[in-house]
Amino acid sequence: MAIKNAYLKNLLERVKKRNPGEPEFHQAVTEVLESLEPVAEKRQDLIDAGVFESIVEPERIIKFRVPWVDDNGNVVVNRGFRVQFNSALGPYKGGLRFHPSVYEGIVKFLGFEQIFKNSLTGEGIGGGKGGSDFDPKGKSDNEVMRFCQSFMTELSKYVGADTDVPAGDIGVGGREIGYMFGQYKRLRNEFVGVLTGKGLQWGGSLVRTEATGYGLCYYMEEALRVTGDSFRGKTVVISGSGNVAIYAAQKATHLGAKVVAVSDSNGYVYDPDGINLNTVKQLKEVERKRIKEYTAKHPGAVYTEGCSGIWSVPCQIALPCATQNELDGPAAETLLKNGLIAVGEGANMPSTPEAIEVFQRNSIIFGPAKATNAGGVGISALEMTQNSQRATWSFEVVDQKLKEMMVSIYHKSAEAAREYGLAGNLVAGANIAGFLKVAETMKAYGVV
Ligand code: NDP
Ligand code: 2IT
C-alpha cells in the first residue's frame, strides 16, 4: 500500500533521507504513516501544529562507550544506546535490548513503536528504547555483571524514576535488571523505581514476568471471541523460547490450546504431544541452554536446525515471539495453506510488510505488535505506580488489570479503524488510536 497523501509521502521521503542505512526504522515509520493517511486527510490542524513532523524525530539520542573487563582480563568495548523518543504522555518508557545486532536503527524502530504502544495502554508513559551490541550468550554471570555496571554507570546520567524508566527486552531479564538497579542505587544513593521488571523483594510487580505473553493471549482471545471463536482446542505455534514465548505458551495452554512448537535462534522443536513448558523453563530460565536439548527429555519431539522453518508446522494460531522480520511473505503463505486463522505478534515487528499483506488479504485475524504485546509495558507502568505508592498489589489484582487493559486495547483499535473507514484493520486501528492521544497532547503543548 503506497502512501497517496502528498504531505505524508514527502515526510516519509525526508525521514528516509535523514536516517540513512536504518531499514527497520524506515519500515516502522512507513507502516505508521500509511495507517495515518485518513487522519492526515481529516486533521489539517495536526499537520499545521507540526505533530507529524515532530513525532518521527526522537527528542534525544544518547550513544556511549561501554568498556568492561572479561574473565580473561581483556578489555572489551561495546556500544550503548538510549533513544528518548517522545515524552508527551509521561516519562520515556521502554526496554533495553542486549544483542549483537543492536545499532541505532534498531533502537530507533523500537523506540518509535513504543510511543504508540505506550499510548494504547492508557497509562501515562512516553516512548523510549535502549540497548547495546553486547551479547550475553556464553558470558559468565560475573561478565554480565561487569558489563551491566559499566552500562548503567553511563546510562544513570540520563534516566530517573520521573524521567526515563528502562526495562527488559531481548537479552535483558531479571538478572540484568538486578545488576543495573544495584549499580544505579549505589551511584545515586536512591532507592527509586528507575527500572521495571525488578525482583519482587526490591520493588518488582507480580505478573510483570508473565505480562507480555499473557497479555498477547488476552488480546487474541478477545479478537477470537468477537468472531465467535477462542483458543480452545486450537493448535498453536510460537517462535522464540524467551520471556514472551514462554508465558504466551503458558496462557495459550491455560485457555485450552495445544502449543506444538517453539524455537531459538538455532532451530525449532516440534512436539506432537504439546510442548512441555517445565522443560523449556528449566532449559532457558535456569540452565541457559539451547532449545535443541529439549529432545533429550522428550524423545517423541523432533528438533530441526534453522529457526525460520517453524512456520511450516501446521497450526491455526501463530504467535511470533522472537524478533523483527522473522515471518516473511512465503512463511505467511505456508501458514495459510496449513489452516491458519489468526496471528498475534508477541515480538516487535516480527511480520514483514509482505506477510501482513498476505494475512489481511485473506481475512486472517491479525493482531499487530504495538497492540498485542503492550501488556508488558502496561504492567511496567503499574509497577511504577506501585513504586510511587510504596504499595504491592496481589497477583489476581494485577492480572485482572492486565486482562482489562488488553481487551480495551483491542476495542480501542477496532473502533478507531471503523471510525476512519478501515473496519477490521487492527494494524491501522492501533496506529490511529495510539497516535491520536499523543498527537492531541503534542498539539496542546505547542511547538516544544
Ligand atoms: P528473550 O531474550 O527472553 O528471548 C528472545 C527469544 O527470541 C529467544 O528464544 C531467542 O533465541 C530468540 N531470538 C532473539 N533474536 C533472534 C534472532 N535474531 N533470530 C532468531 N531468534 C531470535 O527476549 P523476549 O522474550 O523478552 O523478547 C522477544 C520479543 O518480544 C522481542 O521482539 C521483544 O522486543 C519483544 N517484547 C518483549 C517484551 C518483554 O516484556 N520482554 C515486551 C514486548 C515485546 P536465542 O536465545 O537463540 O537468542
Ligand atoms: O517492547 C516492549 O514493550 C518491552 N520490551 C517492554 C518495555 C517496558 O518498559 O516494560
Side-chain angles (χ1 to χ4, degrees):
M1 186 173 77
I3 295 180
K4 287 184 218 76
N5 178 283
Y7 171 75
L8 292 181
K9 203 170 155 179
N10 175 272
L11 177 61
L12 180 61
E13 276 164 22
R14 283 182 288 123
V15 167
K16 289 182 178 170
K17 208 165 159 196
R18 195 183 240 182
N19 301 275
E22 298 181 351
E24 298 85 1
F25 182 53
H26 300 173
Q27 185 182 334
V29 174
T30 302
E31 185 205 280
V32 169
L33 294 187
E34 277 175 4
S35 294
L36 294 179
E37 278 211 275
V39 180
E41 297 289 334
K42 258 200 205 169
R43 297 292 306 270
Q44 186 61 38
D45 61 313
L46 294 178
I47 297 180
D48 293 344
V51 166
F52 292 91
E53 288 300 308
S54 293
I55 210 162
V56 295
E57 184 68 16
E59 289 176 18
R60 195 173 297 103
I61 298 181
I62 300 141
K63 188 168 165 183
F64 50 94
R65 180 170 74 191
V66 189
W68 57 283
V69 179
D70 73 12
D71 286 345
N72 300 319
N74 298 315
V75 175
V76 186
V77 175
N78 284 102
R79 191 170 270 185
F81 303 90
R82 187 72 183 165
V83 174
Q84 298 183 330
F85 220 118
N86 192 297
S87 61
L89 297 182
Y92 308 103
K93 183 85 198 84
L96 296 169
R97 176 177 293 190
F98 293 169
H99 192 272
S101 62
V102 167
Y103 75 107
E104 206 166 303
I106 292 276
V107 187
K108 270 157 78 177
F109 118 65
L110 290 164
F112 182 71
E113 292 284 283
Q114 204 82 45
I115 304 170
F116 309 100
K117 181 196 305 194
N118 293 5
S119 164
L120 284 169
T121 66
E123 297 292 316
I125 41 179
K129 199 84 187 190
S132 173
D133 57 2
F134 173 74
D135 186 359
K137 238 178 261 151
K139 304 288 190 300
S140 69
D141 284 353
N142 274 329
E143 288 179 319
V144 171
M145 179 180 76
R146 287 194 294 273
F147 171 80
C148 287
Q149 289 177 340
S150 179
F151 183 84
M152 184 48 95
T153 299
E154 187 60 24
L155 189 68
S156 67
K157 299 168 188 168
Y158 310 101
V159 296
D162 293 319
T163 306
D164 183 355
V165 182
D169 194 81
I170 291 176
V172 178
R175 176 182 60 171
E176 292 75 17
I177 295 292
Y179 293 146
M180 288 189 276
F181 185 78
Q183 183 73 349
Y184 184 89
K185 186 172 74 57
R186 182 182 183 203
L187 288 166
R188 303 288 278 258
N189 198 19
E190 280 177 0
F191 196 111
V192 294
V194 66
L195 293 164
T196 59
K198 300 186 292 299
L200 298 178
Q201 298 87 346
W202 35 283
S205 175
L206 285 158
V207 196
R208 177 62 189 90
T209 303
E210 296 85 354
T212 311
Y214 277 24
L216 167 64
C217 292
Y218 292 148
Y219 177 105
M220 292 306 292
E221 184 75 346
E222 183 66 8
L224 288 159
R225 191 189 65 75
V226 302
T227 67
D229 212 332
S230 76
F231 268 99
R232 186 151 299 281
K234 301 295 187 302
T235 300
V236 177
V237 165
I238 302 183
S239 63
S241 49
N243 172 265
V244 180
I246 287 174
Y247 294 96
Q250 189 169 83
K251 185 51 71 179
T253 309
H254 287 166
L255 292 170
K258 180 154 128 183
V259 178
V260 295
V262 293
S263 62
D264 62 19
S265 58
N266 293 110
Y268 68 94
V269 281
Y270 167 65
D271 190 339
D273 296 334
I275 293 288
N276 183 311
L277 270 184
N278 289 335
T279 304
V280 177
K281 281 187 179 183
Q282 177 66 22
L283 281 174
K284 291 293 174 180
E285 294 182 340
V286 183
E287 299 170 16
R288 298 181 188 276
K289 285 196 178 145
R290 309 312 300 157
I291 203 68
K292 189 180 184 171
E293 313 278 335
Y294 180 94
T295 54
K297 288 196 184 138
H298 304 279
V302 182
Y303 174 77
T304 307
E305 197 68 24
C307 53
S308 59
I310 193 169
W311 307 121
S312 66
V313 176
C315 65
Q316 287 130 341
I317 301 174
L319 304 176
C321 295
T323 195
Q324 64 276 354
N325 292 326
E326 56 164 316
L327 200 172
D328 61 12
E333 296 283 5
T334 304
L335 282 165
L336 200 68
K337 241 184 4 235
N338 288 337
L340 182 77
I341 61 164
V343 177
E345 296 188 315
N348 284 307
M349 207 167 78
S351 313
T352 64
E354 295 74 28
I356 297 174
E357 212 267 315
V358 171
F359 298 140
Q360 292 187 327
R361 188 161 27 86
N362 291 281
S363 303
I364 299 296
I365 297 171
F366 179 73
K370 61 172 75 67
T372 45
N373 74 26
V377 75
I379 299 309
S380 277
L382 301 189
E383 182 172 329
M384 290 164 70
T385 304
Q386 291 169 82
N387 291 166
S388 301
Q389 300 178 347
R390 298 196 185 284
T392 308
W393 300 341
S394 70
F395 191 96
E396 291 67 31
V397 164
V398 183
D399 191 38
Q400 184 57 31
K401 287 182 190 290
L402 173 63
K403 227 175 268 174
E404 286 163 11
M405 190 182 282
M406 299 314 298
V407 168
S408 152
I409 290 173
Y410 169 79
H411 288 286
K412 257 185 237 178
S413 307
E415 179 54 39
R418 265 195 300 276
E419 196 184 325
Y420 282 86
L422 297 162
N425 186 338
L426 296 170
V427 175
N431 286 331
I432 293 169
F435 170 79
L436 282 173
K437 185 176 173 195
V438 184
E440 303 289 8
T441 308
M442 289 171 74
K443 185 182 166 197
Y445 293 155
V447 181
V448 288

